[in-house]
Amino acid sequence: MVRRLKMVVKTFMDMDQDSEEEKELYLNLALHLASDFFLKHPDKDVRLLVACCLADIFRIYAPEAPYTSPDKLKDIFMFITRQLKGLEDTKSAQFNRYFYLLENIAWVKSYNICFELEDSNEIFTQLYRTLFQVINNGHNQKVHMHMVDLMSSIVCEGDSVSQELLDTVLVNLVPAHKNLNKQAYDLAKALLKRTAQAIEPYITNFFNQVLMLGKTSVSDLSEHVFDLILELYNIDNHLLLSVLPQLEFKLKSNDNDERLQVVKLLAKMFGAKDSELASQNKPLWQCYLGRFNDIHVPVRLECVKFASHCLMNHPDLAKDLTEYLKVRSHDPEEAIRHDVIVSIVTASKKDLSLVNDQLLNFVRERTLDKRWRVRKEAMMGLAQIYKKYALQAEAGKEAAKQICWIKDKLLHIYYQNSIDDRLLVERIFAQYLVPHNLETTERMKCLYYLYATLDGNAVKALNEMWKCQNMLRHHVKDLLDLSDSYNKSVFSKVMVITRNLPDPGKTQDFVKKLAQVLEEDDKIRKQLETLVSPSCSCKQAEVCVKDITKKLGSPKQPSNPFLEMVKFLLERIAPVHIDTESISALIKQVNKSIEGTADDDDEGVPTEQAIRAGLELLKVLSFTHPVSFHSAETFESLLGCLKMDDEKVAEAALQIFKNTGNKLEESYPHIKSVLLPVLQQKAKKGPPRQAKYAIHCIHSMFSNRDTHFAQIFEPLHKGLDSDNMEQLITPLTTLGHLAMLAPEQFAAPLKSLVANFIVKDLLMNDRIPGKKTTKLWVPDDEVSPETMAKIQGLKLMVRWLLGVKNNQSKSGNSTLRMLTAILNSDGDLTEQGKMGKPDMSRLRLAAGCAMLRLAQEPCYHEIITLEQYQLCALVINDECYQVRQAFAQKLHKGLCRLRLPLEYLAVFTLCAKDPVKERRAHARQCLVKNINLRQYVVPYAIHLLVHDPDYVKVQDIEQLKDIKEALWFVLEILMAKNENNSHAFIRKMVENIKQTKDGQCPDDPKINEKLYTVCDVAMNIVISKSTTYSLESPKDPVLPARYFTQPDKNFSNTKNYLPAEMKSFFTPGKPKAANVLGAVNKPLSATGKLQTKLSRMETISNASSNSNPSSPGRKGRLDSGDVDHSENEDISMKSPSETEKPSRGRKRGSGANQDDKTTESKPKRGRKKTASDSVESTPQKRRGRPPKSQTAAKKASGGRSRVAASHEEESEEDMDTAQLSEEDEEDSVDSSPKCASVKTCDTFSIVNAGDALWALIVNSMEEAASQLEKEHVHSVYERIAPYFNDSRYKAWPKVKQFLLQQEPGSIVADIGCGNGKYLHINEEVFKLGCDVCGPLVDSAWSRGHEVQLCDGLCLPYRDGCFDAVLSIAVIHHMSTKERRIRAIKEMARTLRIGGRIMIYVWAMEQKRRKFEKQDIFVPWNPNLSSTRQRGDGIMEQTITSDKHRKVRSTSSMVDEEDMITLCQPKPLRLWFFSRSLDSVLDFGSLTRSRSSTSTLQSPSDETKGNRSRPGSGRALIRQMSSIFSSSSRTSLEEDVFMSDSNEAVHKMDNGRIGNANKSVPVELVHECSLDPLPDMVYHQSVSSVQDEETSLQEPLQMKESLSSLLEGKNTDQSEDSCLRYYHVFREGELTQLIQNHVEDLHVLHTYLDHANWCVVAEKVQVWKV
């Protein structure tokens, strides 16, 4: 049978379709072969041959098959399919026949016959399954191709694709199947690519069923739907054109897991290398980006993880990703913040160009993250980037320049308090910044140029790192020297070492264990001794570390915390960079730069900068690694530097010799013989600084120093010539240091030198007149030689005394009297007036610093009198900035070294009134570093303030406020922590002082009263800032006997000495902790700005910072403004006589005290005069207090009337209008056009704004509202802006408190900042201001604030960039509810999650004013007091005759009673909008009458038509007459202010105006612009004696009344007045506005503050699915 079947197969194989005879001949055979006998034959060879025959039969008889029965056809094709399984065995002898079978049916497309069968799907499915099962890697490309042809024909030519068939294909794409049979996956992939267009609808339908309709039962592959989408997209993205929008829907699913799956899918699709999905489907991309803010943490985490793939494979998406990664870099979840860093760093390491600066800044920010894991990842990431692109320069110089900031930032972190951060910085420095495994020359070159390019703060951090490592090395060496591991010395040393390692609690036991190991194991001990030896080389250190860790690490353990601790310790103490060989290489590198042969330009460092940095580096290393300099080669190189002409190079060489040359005489005698003459020459004729170091070198390096000193002293002493001042400076410097180092050797000549030459000949004579200049300070090279010589003379005297160290000859008393005389004479000791101001400043500084030096020696500290101490303290408030700065540095240095007594710490108290904020910040940092909870500084501070020469009048409020600020300056730091109940201790101390008397003047009642008053101020501060002050003091304070008498047990001082007005200035609140990074080792300089969170600042503004006084840490918070430092407002009540002609230059609030001050006894010489010393003339600059800001001394606009108002009921405006020189409208919005003269408007008060509302309906609401604000907000403030410089500088207490509560490094925006009066508060935060008023912005900019001009409805800031936002007196100027909401939303947009916003608006609920409507116009007139009523002189008479009233304001904003008094004839009726602008479209029952409106025209149009000019806003307002009828006006004309008494009723002196009616209203017409406004009127009801009723007139009568008034009986127009629009808020209105319309703001507090509603809200995360 097989043989016959083979013949049949061959026969059929040779037949073609055209042979009709043969086809007919073999028809019966064809039918017979399809019988069950063959189809079910047990022999597979028979079945194979039959299948081949059947395949040829279908080819021959095509397109019609000889089989007509559907069942038979099904059986045949199922039979053929089964035979195809033979393809699986490629090594079978029959494989070729199986291949022929496949080829035949694929070429003929035999299976297409099955399309007509009902069971075709079963046939096709079985065929697909069979082919996918048999395909394997043994098949060649032809088998693969025929299979694809066979299957694709079924899909492409069939009517449909069943789900079962589709599943058969798609199942091979599922990852599990894909991994099992890669060939099946490739087959399915090829099939889908071939049939993409045909199969796409069925794929789409499948995903529709599963994704959209949720019919997971349609297929077993439903659970793999997202895996299939990814595979299909990778195969052919056209397969998913209709599916991708469904993913957008799924991204918004409420099911967390479902969103997570979709996000995982899309992350892979978007991040794929060749994917164009983001550009092809932007809506889906945007929707995916939204999942970065998903509420479900795993979703956000997944988005962040795959961000690196998008950045690496699609750089064009970086811009979109940046904003979302920024938000996630602040995510509350640590893992997400960590992965943000990982993603950015991963992309950066692949190619730096893929990552923009903003993304790198996110990594930079996270180096200060609160979580160690995130900080570590950020720091290590930056280090790896720096090493790759800066050190190895893999991307060229441009890339290296782009990331040059990384090295500075990493070193700045060394100032962090966490030991983990410091250790990591050290590790990064050793591995990435200057890799220790580099060859010595290359390593030193790397260090050399790194040091040259670091910023100042990074240099100081690096120096500090070396010092800390050196100190720890000494501690370990001391531990090795201690033999008994159980004595107290070992324990204390263990504790010291523990503090320098992470997790001190656990580390302590490990260090104890190490101490025991060192006793037991001599080998480890010797290796550790070698490691800490000063002569240990880098190679030796590496070997020792390896051996120690290997020894301690055996036997190996999975976790060995003891070994980890030892590794940390060894890392810190091992000298991996610096040894003798390294120093020699470094000096050679410096010499190359000096000789000009170095690669400075190639490294991007100027040669001069490189040399200067190299010398500074050598000086630092000579201090930390002095033994490493001990080599002949190094000393010879230094000797060569010493002989150079460059002064800086020689000076640095001298300092290095001083630090390292202690063994030079013994070890290198040949160098000594050459060095000594050079040092002697430098001491005699070199520059002063070189002479100084030359003397110290001789003292430290040579044994027979006395002989060498004598050889220098004699010729210099004999050669002193006071006629040649320039040649005198160096000898005096040298002699001064000789006097300090060898006072006994030259005792007699030195005493004679000081008495005769220094004092009589040098200091007491002014030979050359100084230059006449107004400058207080000039550079060193401009100081006269005579002054420099005098300064060196003073230093010589002090150095001599410090060398002698006793006062037996009373030379100390004489010197102190001399120094006191210099300070008392302002530096001009002879008082001949020959000295210039800069010279006097220099001498004051020299005298003050000399007293500080003497105070460091106990024998001289005892003889310094209290008066001399107080005079010295006043130098810190010298009028010259540089004097204050340098003196504070000297004071800080003495306190840090614990050489100055504690009372000198109290001197910083006086810095509270320094007008320069940088100086106050510096002083506060000095206090933070030195105070260390030393509560005993309080008595000294109190005593110093009692004797402050500026504290003249005991009960003067202003002076007491200064005292309070000074005390709080110190107490804030002391009270930041209440350790051991320190608050109660301070209270007890103050109470004890109050029971004593002043030790300096015990019998002076005035001084004692001052003492008790200052104590009461301190007591009130403690009480207001502490809740535990009343507890029992832990111990009884002991007061310094020199400053206070012993307490009298029979005397109990319980009297309160404070004036009642002072009570309001003590604001309760917890003191803010003094959190200054790195305060222990932080350098201090003069000026600067904060660098914490600098990266975030740089993304908002490109403003650069000044040099930092304390960077890279944080500056101390400033509690004082430039002029006024009180926490609360002080509104002084003055009589009319005091305020009618205010004195020029008078200090605010001093009022009646000025005359008293002028009668005081003449102040001591040397004390700066107070404001009263010179009222009319320019105050002379004197030492003792820095000059006040010009604002405080400006004249108070003389002649302006002032109106009294109670402080308690002061509104936001009235708080500012207490005095024109201080206050007038809080935060302005903008201004443009001018406001014309307004008749009587500014004399009275608020104008009716209601009519203008309805005119807005004529045009669009938005346009009208904008125009109204432009006319009556922006233009008004632009006009009154010049007055703000005099009036706007005082911060409101609660706003100030809000700013002070912000975390250091925060970024705060003041939206509507005006002239920037809040931008100087809290220097620990960054502040940006913006305003729509150009002149106000210019004013703020001129004061050094970061401000810009912009609209509050469209802020130019990024989303979430601010930590806090201020909006003070801005929102109430928005004329519609929608605009108010928009303004709040815009501010909320710029606020970060968790940030807070403070909003102040005018309140309708005011005690002193009663509003009935919410939309009003408020006039502002800077010239109210000059206004006169024409004709009857009523205004003038009222102001001058009402003597009992207390005037307090020059603004036209007046109290209700004041306005009634001013407009004596009638009660004032103030007008406003009839309804809110928000309801402008609600006409209600208003009727319109053409006849009535036509009669109501402006009288001013007739008299002053030539002054009219077109204006859209004014036109809108003038159209009021087309809206209101007389009837409607009657219902709308109501009072804004409700009179409370009969005082509101007055009679007109000139009779009634109008017709014969006894009750005729007077309509006062106001011009608010150049056009007359007939619709804006005051309606004043006139009540006669006979008839109290008020009647309203018709519009025509009103016109006649107005015309008659304007023609002859109107007041003069004020050219300086204008109207401001306000919307006053009801209680709860602002809160509801936020709660109902700004969903991402959560209201925290709402309160009424001085007639203003305030809301403090926090931005929360609104999770949107």
Side-chain angles (χ1 to χ4, degrees), residues 630-798:
H630 290 178
S631 71
E633 185 181 10
T634 298
F635 283 131
E636 288 172 0
S637 298
L638 289 173
L639 193 58
C641 294
L642 191 60
K643 295 178 181 179
M644 291 183 180
D645 295 333
D646 192 312
E647 290 187 10
K648 292 182 179 179
V649 174
E651 182 183 328
L654 284 170
Q655 293 186 57
I656 296 170
F657 269 120
K658 172 180 173 291
N659 293 336
T660 63
N662 57 335
K663 295 183 179 181
L664 183 143
E665 187 176 22
E666 302 173 3
S667 304
Y668 309 97
H670 64 287
I671 294 178
K672 172 202 167 183
S673 60
V674 180
L675 177 62
L676 182 59
V678 177
L679 293 178
Q680 291 177 334
Q681 180 67 19
K682 294 286 185 183
K684 293 176 183 178
K685 296 183 179 180
R689 290 183 63 83
Q690 292 187 23
K692 166 188 171 181
Y693 290 118
I695 293 297
H696 283 275
C697 283
I698 294 174
H699 182 265
S700 62
M701 294 167 61
F702 302 119
S703 56
N704 55 342
R705 60 181 68 93
D706 292 347
T707 304
H708 303 317
F709 281 170
Q711 293 173 357
I712 297 172
F713 183 87
E714 294 301 333
L716 290 181
H717 183 216
K718 293 178 181 179
L720 292 177
D721 183 8
S722 58
D723 293 331
N724 190 351
M725 290 294 177
E726 291 186 3
Q727 300 299 323
L728 195 59
I729 299 173
T730 295
L732 288 177
T733 303
T734 302
L735 292 173
H737 286 280
L738 287 173
M740 182 171 63
L741 298 175
E744 296 180 359
Q745 183 180 353
F746 310 107
L750 281 173
K751 186 172 183 180
S752 173
L753 173 66
V754 170
N756 297 322
F757 183 81
I758 300 298
V759 177
K760 293 181 181 179
D761 197 15
L762 183 61
L763 296 177
M764 298 302 296
N765 288 308
D766 295 334
R767 292 172 173 77
I768 304 173
K771 294 181 180 179
K772 298 300 180 182
T773 177
T774 58
K775 295 180 179 179
L776 294 175
W777 190 268
V778 293
D780 291 348
D781 55 357
E782 296 182 23
V783 180
S784 67
E786 182 178 4
T787 301
M788 297 300 294
K790 288 183 177 182
I791 292 173
Q792 289 302 327
L794 288 174
K795 290 183 177 180
L796 187 151
M797 294 171 61
V798 173

Side-chain angles (χ1 to χ4, degrees), residues 1232-1249:
S1232 181
K1234 306 296 182 183
C1235 178
S1237 304
V1238 182
K1239 297 192 176 187
T1240 70
C1241 132
D1242 296 308
T1243 307
F1244 292 94
S1245 182
I1246 300 177
V1247 186
N1248 176 10

Side-chain angles (χ1 to χ4, degrees), residues 1070-1234:
K1070 184 178 179 181
K1072 185 175 180 180
N1075 183 15
V1076 180
L1077 295 180
V1080 175
N1081 298 301
K1082 184 181 302 179
L1084 296 162
S1085 60
T1087 58
K1089 291 197 174 185
L1090 187 64
Q1091 291 200 4
T1092 304
K1093 293 192 178 177
L1094 181 60
S1095 55
R1096 198 192 315 176
M1097 184 65 190
E1098 291 169 348
T1099 60
I1100 301 174
S1101 172
N1102 293 325
S1104 60
S1105 301
N1106 298 329
S1107 59
N1108 197 319
S1110 57
S1111 289
R1114 303 172 183 172
K1115 292 204 300 184
R1117 177 165 63 84
L1118 301 184
D1119 297 296
S1120 307
D1122 286 358
V1123 177
D1124 197 335
H1125 318 291
S1126 62
E1127 291 182 11
N1128 299 322
E1129 292 281 351
D1130 175 33
I1131 306 302
S1132 304
M1133 306 295 288
K1134 303 180 181 64
S1135 64
S1137 61
E1138 293 172 336
T1139 54
E1140 281 181 23
K1141 297 180 180 180
S1143 300
R1144 296 177 182 271
R1146 184 173 293 177
K1147 188 177 179 181
R1148 183 181 69 81
S1150 56
N1153 298 329
Q1154 295 298 327
D1155 295 335
D1156 296 335
K1157 285 185 179 181
T1158 57
T1159 62
E1160 291 283 340
S1161 59
K1162 185 177 179 180
K1164 287 183 181 181
R1165 183 166 50 186
R1167 179 181 65 81
K1168 176 183 167 296
K1169 290 185 180 181
T1170 61
S1172 60
D1173 294 332
S1174 179
V1175 176
E1176 296 296 335
S1177 61
T1178 303
Q1180 299 181 10
K1181 294 182 179 178
R1182 296 296 183 96
R1183 188 201 49 73
R1185 282 285 180 272
K1188 295 286 185 180
S1189 171
Q1190 295 179 358
T1191 307
K1194 280 191 176 182
K1195 65 177 184 177
S1197 301
R1200 295 173 183 164
S1201 65
R1202 307 184 180 201
V1203 187
S1206 66
H1207 173 67
E1208 293 77 7
E1209 298 171 343
E1210 182 177 37
S1211 71
E1212 175 179 319
E1213 292 298 323
D1214 292 329
M1215 287 180 68
D1216 289 332
T1217 57
Q1219 198 170 353
L1220 182 61
S1221 62
E1222 298 169 18
E1223 340 192 310
D1224 186 283
E1225 181 36 35
E1226 166 40 81
D1227 288 316
S1228 60
V1229 182
D1230 187 31
S1231 46
S1232 181
K1234 306 296 182 183

Side-chain angles (χ1 to χ4, degrees), residues 260 263-264 267-268 271 288 292 297-312 321 325 328 335-344 346-347 373:
L260 178 60
V263 165
K264 286 182 177 180
K268 296 173 183 177
Y288 168 75
F292 275 81
V297 173
V299 174
R300 303 201 302 275
L301 191 60
E302 200 66 31
C303 290
V304 168
K305 280 183 177 179
F306 279 88
S308 60
H309 297 283
C310 292
L311 290 172
M312 290 187 291
L321 287 169
L325 287 175
R328 294 285 61 81
I336 294 177
R337 300 197 303 275
H338 176 272
D339 282 1
V340 168
I341 305 306
V342 172
S343 294
I344 297 174
T346 302
R373 179 188 173 210

Side-chain angles (χ1 to χ4, degrees), residues 1446-1501:
K1446 293 184 179 290
V1447 182
R1448 53 167 284 187
S1449 175
T1450 58
S1451 169
S1452 63
M1453 280 301 302
V1454 295
D1455 289 351
E1456 178 186 353
E1457 297 173 347
D1458 301 329
M1459 292 183 291
I1460 293 169
T1461 305
L1462 292 174
C1463 57
Q1464 203 166 358
K1466 304 172 181 56
L1468 177 65
R1469 314 289 279 180
L1470 298 163
W1471 284 92
F1472 49 89
F1473 287 152
S1474 61
R1475 62 185 67 193
S1476 171
L1477 283 170
D1478 306 325
S1479 58
V1480 69
L1481 297 178
D1482 181 12
F1483 287 76
S1485 59
L1486 289 176
T1487 58
R1488 304 185 181 189
S1489 171
R1490 290 184 178 271
S1491 59
S1492 61
T1493 55
S1494 62
T1495 61
L1496 183 59
Q1497 298 183 7
S1498 171
S1500 301
D1501 286 340

Side-chain angles (χ1 to χ4, degrees), residues 386-397 399-400:
Y386 178 81
K387 184 177 181 180
K388 181 173 183 179
Y389 296 110
L391 290 187
Q392 301 171 356
E394 292 188 7
K397 291 185 177 180

